[in-house]
Amino acid sequence: MIAYQAKKSPVYCDNHLNIMYSTQIIISRLWWGSFRRIFEYCMRKILGTRSVVISGPLKGYKVEGGLAQVLGIYEYDVQACISESLKKGNIFYDIGSNNGFFSILGSKIVGPKGKVYSFEPFNDNIFSLKKVLRYNAINNCTIFEAAISDEVGKNELFFSKDNVTPSLTNIDASFSTVISVSTIDTIIKKVGVPQLIKLDVEGAESRVLKGSAELLNSNNKVIWVIEIHDLSNEKQCIKILMHSGYSIKKISYVHNFLYFKKRGHSFFLNLF
């Protein structure tokens, strides 16, 4: 996962463990430790079909994801970066919101005066997203049933037999369906400039950045959290960002965090 953070003064996301909950730290170390299989087996036996998060900033919230979400350690460093960067009253774009885990987190942080916009084109995920918003009585989140790309209109969403997650990129696709697409620049004109964008679009990251040219070349101090899915996309994304005046520096050797700087503002990157 990539995290770009824009600040006048740098705030280092490699210190993310400092804002993790103690229980969340213990669970994450067990999850990623030598005895993970034993720990996971025990947790599945103990928790069963439980859907309420047991640790972290979303403790007590209902989710639609797997065991990692229930344990509260799902992409915990991304949770920490979002928790550190997003503030009350902010606007948060959750692009590729899937089952809504980060939409819930954003909703909790920004509060009633803030706003979350969730973008998801896949019907099964939209169904899960609506369920979690209803479960948790969230009313500051608006769902856009569309994908974000580099154009406005219609596009194909591709599905493969080996990958249950659909994508705008046609790689070993077995079938497709037509969906609505838009761009970040277009969305901003409708709902306002976000303070943070989380982007997880299964290989279409560079296309989203191409559709964000106006935002990237503006002085808006927007935070980006992006998951890069392949080396080719990584190169294209970095090329786009460097063309917009970004520089890069590695700041963490644990999760390969990189530090971006643009015109006096700071951006943080973490490659998985």
Side-chain angles (χ1 to χ4, degrees):
M1 186 69 71
I2 299 179
Y4 306 84
Q5 183 165 5
K7 292 275 186 179
K8 288 186 177 179
S9 300
V11 176
Y12 292 95
C13 283
D14 56 332
N15 293 325
H16 63 275
L17 285 175
N18 293 333
I19 63 171
M20 287 181 67
Y21 293 65
S22 57
T23 305
Q24 192 181 23
I25 294 173
I26 294 170
I27 293 174
S28 65
R29 286 175 177 171
L30 289 169
W31 180 264
W32 296 109
S34 303
F35 301 101
R36 172 172 174 170
R37 289 186 178 180
I38 297 173
F39 175 69
E40 184 176 347
Y41 174 81
C42 293
M43 288 296 96
R44 291 192 185 280
K45 285 292 186 180
I46 294 170
L47 297 173
T49 59
R50 180 187 175 106
S51 61
V52 177
V53 181
I54 66 171
S55 76
L58 290 184
K59 182 179 180 180
Y61 282 75
K62 287 187 177 182
V63 292
E64 281 284 297
L67 181 59
Q69 288 192 9
V70 174
L71 292 174
I73 58 169
Y74 175 72
E75 296 183 355
Y76 64 86
D77 41 5
V78 178
Q79 290 187 58
C81 271
I82 291 175
S83 297
E84 179 181 328
S85 306
L86 204 56
K87 309 298 180 186
K88 288 188 180 299
N90 280 177
I91 296 176
F92 172 48
Y93 286 6
D94 186 6
I95 301 176
S97 53
N98 200 277
N99 53 40
F101 185 86
F102 289 112
S103 290
I104 301 170
L105 178 60
S107 170
K108 178 186 177 183
I109 296 170
V110 303
K113 293 184 179 181
K115 192 67 179 178
V116 175
Y117 295 99
S118 301
F119 302 85
E120 178 57 53
F122 185 31
N123 286 334
D124 288 358
N125 289 342
I126 293 170
F127 179 75
S128 296
L129 178 56
K130 289 180 177 178
K131 279 178 65 177
V132 296
L133 296 183
R134 185 172 66 252
Y135 283 157
N136 296 291
I138 291 172
N139 53 23
N140 63 346
C141 179
T142 299
I143 300 172
F144 282 80
E145 297 182 16
I148 299 299
S149 185
D150 56 354
E151 59 184 343
V152 178
K154 300 290 183 179
N155 206 327
E156 286 187 279
L157 185 67
F158 297 98
F159 298 78
S160 66
K161 292 180 180 179
D162 298 330
N163 187 359
V164 295
T165 306
S167 172
L168 290 175
T169 58
N170 185 6
I171 301 177
D172 300 324
S174 57
F175 66 97
S176 66
T177 186
V178 177
I179 59 167
S180 297
V181 294
S182 190
T183 68
I184 286 182
D185 286 339
T186 301
I187 295 295
I188 284 175
K189 293 171 184 176
K190 295 179 179 179
V191 301
V193 177
Q195 281 68 49
L196 188 148
I197 298 173
K198 189 231 78 184
L199 180 61
D200 184 358
V201 290
E202 304 298 325
E205 299 81 37
S206 60
R207 292 172 64 174
V208 173
L209 291 179
K210 289 174 184 176
S212 310
E214 292 179 19
L215 176 62
L216 290 174
N217 292 314
S218 72
N219 291 320
N220 290 304
K221 299 183 289 253
V222 177
I223 300 162
W224 291 79
V225 178
I226 310 174
E227 184 172 6
I228 296 292
H229 288 267
D230 57 80
L231 182 60
S232 174
N233 236 311
E234 176 189 330
K235 290 179 179 178
Q236 291 183 63
C237 289
I238 290 176
K239 181 179 179 180
I240 291 170
L241 291 165
M242 291 184 70
H243 181 73
S244 297
Y246 292 75
S247 60
I248 185 170
K249 176 184 177 183
K250 196 168 188 176
I251 62 170
S252 172
Y253 294 91
V254 179
H255 293 290
N256 198 25
F257 272 95
L258 302 177
Y259 168 72
F260 278 72
K261 190 172 183 180
K262 175 191 176 185
R263 299 170 187 165
H265 305 309
S266 306
F267 298 77
F268 296 90
L269 169 68
N270 170 29
L271 292 173
F272 279 72

